Amino acid sequence: MVDFGNILAGFQTLLSLESIIALIAGTVGGMVIGALPGFSAAMGVSLLIPITYGMGPVAALSMLTAMYTSAIYGGSITAILCHTPGTPASAATAIDGFQLTKQGRGMEAMGVATLGSAVGGTFSAIAMLLIAPALGAFSLKFSVLEYFFLSVFGLTVIASLAGDSVIKGLFSGILGLALGCVGLDAISGFPRMTMGVIQLEDGINFVPALIGLFSISQVMSLAWDVYHGKKGSVIEDEENLKKSRSLPPFKEMKTLFPTMARCSIIGTIVGIVPAAGAGVSSWICYSMGKKFSKHPEKFGHGALEGVASCETGNNAATGGALIPLITLGLPGSSVAAILLGGMMIHGLTPGAAMFTKHANTTYAIMIGFLIANILMGIVGLFAARYIAHVSAVPMGYLGPVITALCFLGTFAIRNNLFDVGVMVVFGLLGFILKRCGFAAPPMILGMVLSDICENNWRRAVILANAKGGMLSYFLSRPISIVLALLIVVSLFSPMIMSYVDKKSKENVTK
Amino acid sequence: MKKQLHQDVFIGFICLAISLLVFALNTNLPSDAAMMPRLLGGMLTILSILIIYHGLRKSKLPVEEQGPKALTVDALKIPLITWGFVVLYYILFHVAGYFVATGIMIIALMRFMKRTSWPVIIAIDAVYLLVMYFAFVRMLNVSVDNFGMLGRLL
C-alpha cells in the first residue's frame, strides 16, 4: 500500500535550500565524473562522502544518490561522442552511440541516451517508493540471527564484485572483514590488532580507507598513463555536432518508448539482484533490445534502439540496487556498498527503522533520487555537449587537484591527521591490489559489514544458549532458514549472472 | 620454451604472510574476542594457499602465455614516485598546514605530470585554494587552516 502521507512529508523535508543545492551539485558533479574516462561512480561517491559530513542526512544522501545515478549516465556522454566509455556501465552504449556520431547524429543519440537514462532512473525510483516500504515493514520481524544471516548474504556479493579472480576477490573481502575487526572489541572491550597504536583503538575509519583505495590509487594510475602517452578523449566531428538536433524526430522517437519501458522493468529487477549491477543490466537490456527489435540488423551500425536499451537499463539498475540497500542493508553493487557506509555515517541503519523512526528522512531521500533523475534528464539535454569537453582535460591537471581534495575531504571527517595517514597507506594498498588483480570493492564491503556480522552473531549465540542451543534456535526461526537458503543460492548467482552476461554479449556480437 | 614462476606465486606468499600476521596479532586475546579474527585468519590462509597453487599451475605455461607482469619496474616506478609526492605532501601538511602544503604540492605534482604552462598551473592552484578556503573554512567550518606552522602563526 502506497503511503501518500509519508511521501508528502518526505517531499516537504526535501524542500530545503541545502537539499536542493545538494541535489543539483550531485547531479552535475556525477555527470562530470562519469564523463571522465577512468573515473567511476564509486570514486565520485567516495570523494563526496567527506564533503557531506557537515550536511543533514537528507541533503547528504540525496547528493550521494544523485551522484550515483548521474555518473552512470555521464559515462554515456563520452561513450557516444568520443567512443570512450566513461564508466564500465556505458561500454554497450559506445557500440551504437559512436556509430551514430560518425553518421552526424551524435546529438540525437545523446538525446535518446539522456531520455532513456531519465526514464529508467525515474521508473526505478518509483519502484523503490512502492517496494521498499513493504520490504522494510517485513524486516520488522528480523532479530539478531536474521541480521547476522543478512550480513552474510551481503558478503556473498563479494564474489560478484571480485573482478577477474574470484579467489583474489574473496581474499580482498575477507581481508576487509579482518580490517573491520581492528580496534576495541565491542563486547569484551579488548583491543584487537591495534599493535599498540592508540588511534587504532577506534578502529579503521572506512571513509579514509575507501578514498585511498579508489582515489589516491587512481591518481597513481593516472601518472602512469601520463608517462605512457595516454591523452584525454577527443570529440568526434565537433563542428557537425553543433548544428545537429538534440532529439530524433517524434515519429522515430515514439518507436523507442516500448524499448525504454521494457528496459526500465528489466533494469530495475537486475539492479535488485545482489550479484548484478548497472554494467550487467546494460548488456542484458542491449541484448533484449536486439531480440525484440523489428530491425535487429541495425544493431551495431548505429541503432537508436540500441542506445535507448542500454542507457535505460543501466540507470534503472541504480534505483533497483538501492531497494535492498535501504530495506535490508544488502548492497547490490560496489557503489551501493559505499553508499551503505555513507548511510551509517549519517546515523541511518538500513532496516525497519528506515520506515518508522527515520521515515521522513528515508522518503525524502527516495523522492530526492526521483527528482535527481528528472533533473539529470533536463540538464543532460542542454549540457551534455559541453560536459563532453571535460574528458579532454589533461590528466596532469586533474591528478593533483584530486589529491588535494582527498586530503581535505579526509581531514574534514574528524579534523584528524591520523585519518589522512590511513588514506595515504590505503592509496598504496589500493594501487598494489589493483596491479596484482585484487578488486578493491570487496574490501570496502568487508570493512562495512564486519561489525554488523560479528556483533549480531555473538548476540545470537548468547540468545541461542538461553533457548536450548543454536540448532533449535535456528530451526525455530523460519526467516533465518529462508535467508540461509538464499545465501546458498546467492553463492551460485555470480556464475549464473556471468553466464547471462556472457550470453547477452554473444547475442550482441552475432 | 622458456618457463618461470608466475608472479601469483610470490603474491600468494605475501598473502600468506598477511594471513599469519592476522593470527599472530590475535594470539593473546580471550577466545570470545579472538574467534572472528582467527576464523578470518584461517580463511585468508586457505585462500593464500589457493593463490599459490593457481600461480604454480600458471607457471607451467610458457612465459609468453602467462600474461603481462603486474609488478615490474616500468609498471611501478612512476606510480610509486607519485605516491612519494603524496607522502611528502602529508608530511608538509603536518608541518606547514593544508593551504601552504597544497599550494606547493599542486605545482610540484602538475610539473611532474608533464604540465608545462606556468600560467595555467598557477591559475588552477590559486582558484583551488580560494574555493576550498571559502567552501570548507568559511562555509563548512572545517578548521583545516588552524593546522601546522601557518595555523600556529595565525
Side-chain angles (χ1 to χ4, degrees):
Chain A
M1 190 69 196
V2 186
D3 190 341
F4 287 106
N6 270 329
I7 292 177
L8 198 65
F11 189 70
Q12 281 169 341
T13 310
L14 187 72
L15 283 181
S16 70
L17 185 66
E18 184 191 41
S19 303
I20 292 165
I21 293 172
L23 263 180
I24 296 169
T27 307
V28 178
M31 282 184 200
V32 172
I33 287 279
L36 287 165
F39 288 65
S40 59
M43 186 184 163
V45 175
S46 65
L47 260 179
L48 208 59
I49 284 181
I51 298 169
T52 65
Y53 267 88
M55 300 177 178
V58 173
L61 268 300
S62 299
M63 184 148 124
L64 293 174
T65 52
M67 164 75 83
Y68 177 26
T69 189
S70 204
I72 297 292
Y73 158 68
S76 72
I77 300 174
T78 43
I80 292 169
L81 302 181
C82 316
H83 203 226
T84 315
T87 60
S90 53
T93 314
I95 303 173
D96 282 291
F98 190 64
Q99 288 296 328
L100 285 160
T101 299
K102 286 207 289 191
Q103 293 162 21
R105 301 182 70 194
M107 285 320 294
E108 287 179 48
M110 237 5 281
V112 170
T114 307
L115 207 64
S117 297
V119 168
T122 307
F123 178 87
S124 69
I126 294 168
M128 180 161 60
L129 274 167
L130 299 178
I131 300 169
L135 258 180
F138 179 66
S139 71
L140 271 172
K141 297 188 172 88
F142 289 11
S143 166
V144 282
L145 189 61
E146 284 78 22
Y147 277 111
F148 163 71
F149 278 118
L150 265 182
S151 59
V152 176
F153 191 27
L155 289 170
T156 59
V157 177
I158 283 177
S160 66
L161 300 176
D164 294 338
S165 166
V166 174
I167 295 172
K168 286 179 179 176
L170 285 173
F171 187 92
S172 178
I174 292 167
L175 187 62
L177 281 170
L179 289 169
C181 292
V182 173
L184 293 180
D185 174 34
I187 292 175
S188 69
F190 274 94
R192 297 189 300 192
M193 297 189 276
T194 56
M195 294 173 282
V197 181
I198 293 169
Q199 287 96 329
L200 282 179
E201 288 189 357
D202 271 351
I204 298 174
N205 191 327
F206 85 92
V207 180
L210 76 91
I211 292 175
L213 283 173
F214 286 99
S215 304
I216 293 291
S217 66
Q218 185 60 25
V219 171
M220 292 164 75
S221 300
L222 285 180
W224 189 89
D225 288 346
V226 167
Y227 274 81
H228 288 77
K230 210 171 162 185
K231 289 181 181 153
S233 310
V234 180
I235 300 171
E236 182 85 4
D237 200 8
E238 203 180 344
E239 279 309 305
N240 203 10
L241 278 179
K242 283 178 189 166
K243 294 176 221 152
S244 64
R245 49 192 300 162
S246 311
L247 281 170
F250 184 71
K251 198 180 160 193
E252 202 171 354
M253 196 69 211
K254 70 178 182 188
T255 62
L256 302 174
F257 293 139
T259 305
M260 289 182 190
R262 186 176 52 243
C263 293
S264 295
I265 298 167
I266 298 170
T268 306
I269 294 168
V270 173
I272 295 171
V273 178
V280 175
S281 172
S282 73
W283 282 109
I284 292 175
C285 289
Y286 188 76
S287 164
M288 297 294 270
K290 192 176 176 183
K291 213 169 257 177
F292 281 96
S293 173
K294 285 177 187 163
H295 303 285
E297 72 286 352
K298 284 189 183 170
F299 275 65
H301 305 285
L304 283 170
E305 257 184 298
V307 175
S309 303
C310 39
E311 277 309 304
T312 310
N314 62 21
N315 273 83
T318 58
L322 292 179
I323 296 172
L325 175 74
I326 290 178
T327 53
L328 307 169
L330 279 177
S333 65
S334 54
V335 190
I338 298 168
L339 282 171
L340 175 61
M343 286 171 67
M344 286 172 165
I345 286 165
H346 288 280
L348 301 171
T349 309
M354 293 291 288
F355 297 91
T356 49
K357 193 175 157 194
H358 303 295
N360 255 2
T361 309
T362 309
Y363 276 93
I365 294 166
M366 292 195 289
I367 293 163
F369 180 72
L370 179 102
I371 294 172
N373 279 290
I374 297 167
L375 195 65
M376 178 183 83
I378 298 165
V379 176
L381 279 175
F382 292 103
R385 75 177 78 193
Y386 307 107
I387 290 170
H389 286 279
V390 300
S391 66
V393 174
M395 298 301 170
Y397 290 131
L398 285 175
V401 171
I402 287 166
T403 308
L405 272 176
C406 291
F407 270 64
L408 184 57
T410 307
F411 182 81
I413 300 168
R414 303 191 288 188
N415 285 3
N416 187 340
L417 207 60
F418 182 77
D419 286 345
V420 183
V422 168
M423 179 205 64
V424 172
V425 171
F426 271 83
L428 179 66
L429 183 67
F431 177 77
I432 292 174
L433 286 176
K434 197 157 64 177
R435 289 295 315 170
C436 296
F438 293 82
M443 183 178 279
I444 289 298
L445 191 61
M447 286 178 80
V448 172
L449 291 177
S450 183
D451 256 8
I452 306 170
C453 185
E454 186 186 11
N455 293 339
N456 281 308
W457 168 249
R458 285 167 71 178
R459 286 189 189 117
V461 169
I462 295 166
L463 271 176
N465 286 341
K467 292 185 178 180
M470 183 51 85
L471 187 67
S472 59
Y473 181 56
F474 171 67
L475 291 174
S476 71
R477 303 200 64 86
I479 301 172
S480 288
I481 298 170
V482 174
L483 284 170
L485 289 172
L486 280 175
I487 289 167
V488 177
V489 174
S490 176
L491 283 171
F492 292 98
S493 67
M495 282 172 250
I496 301 164
M497 290 316 292
S498 147
Y499 175 78
V500 173
D501 194 26
K502 200 174 150 191
K503 278 280 160 199
S504 306
K505 284 179 184 168
E506 273 174 18
N507 284 343
V508 169
T509 49
K510 268 179 198 170
Chain B
M1 197 167 61
K2 203 176 155 190
K3 283 185 183 175
Q4 67 178 47
L5 273 182
H6 191 272
Q7 64 175 9
D8 274 3
V9 178
F10 303 108
I11 293 169
F13 275 107
I14 295 169
C15 292
L16 193 59
I18 294 169
S19 316
L20 296 176
L21 181 70
V22 172
F23 269 122
L25 289 171
N26 292 289
T27 43
N28 295 324
L29 286 178
S31 60
D32 254 19
M35 188 193 77
M36 174 94 159
R38 282 183 196 157
L39 179 73
L40 296 172
M43 290 160 92
L44 288 174
T45 308
I46 295 167
L47 289 167
S48 305
I49 293 167
L50 280 173
I51 293 170
I52 296 170
Y53 170 72
H54 280 279
L56 288 171
R57 280 184 62 181
K58 287 179 197 165
S59 303
K60 288 178 185 164
L61 295 168
V63 178
E64 309 79 53
E65 289 173 31
Q66 285 187 9
K69 284 186 178 173
L71 302 175
T72 59
V73 175
D74 177 56
L76 296 179
K77 195 173 92 182
I78 298 298
L80 286 182
I81 294 173
T82 310
W83 191 70
F85 272 96
V86 174
V87 173
L88 284 176
Y89 176 36
Y90 175 64
I91 295 166
L92 202 59
F93 182 9
H94 207 306
V95 176
Y98 180 75
F99 289 101
V100 173
T102 304
I104 297 169
M105 182 280 294
I106 286 185
I107 295 173
L109 200 51
M110 279 187 185
R111 293 292 298 167
F112 174 69
M113 291 174 95
K114 295 187 169 179
R115 291 295 98 205
T116 50
S117 169
W118 278 103
V120 177
I121 291 173
I122 289 166
I124 292 174
D125 202 5
V127 169
Y128 174 83
L129 291 174
L130 277 173
V131 170
M132 289 305 127
Y133 179 78
F134 281 104
F136 276 80
V137 179
R138 289 293 176 91
M139 285 168 67
L140 294 172
N141 291 323
V142 176
S143 54
V144 72
D145 57 329
N146 292 336
F147 214 80
M149 203 163 57
L150 195 69
R152 284 192 292 275
L153 283 174
L154 291 170

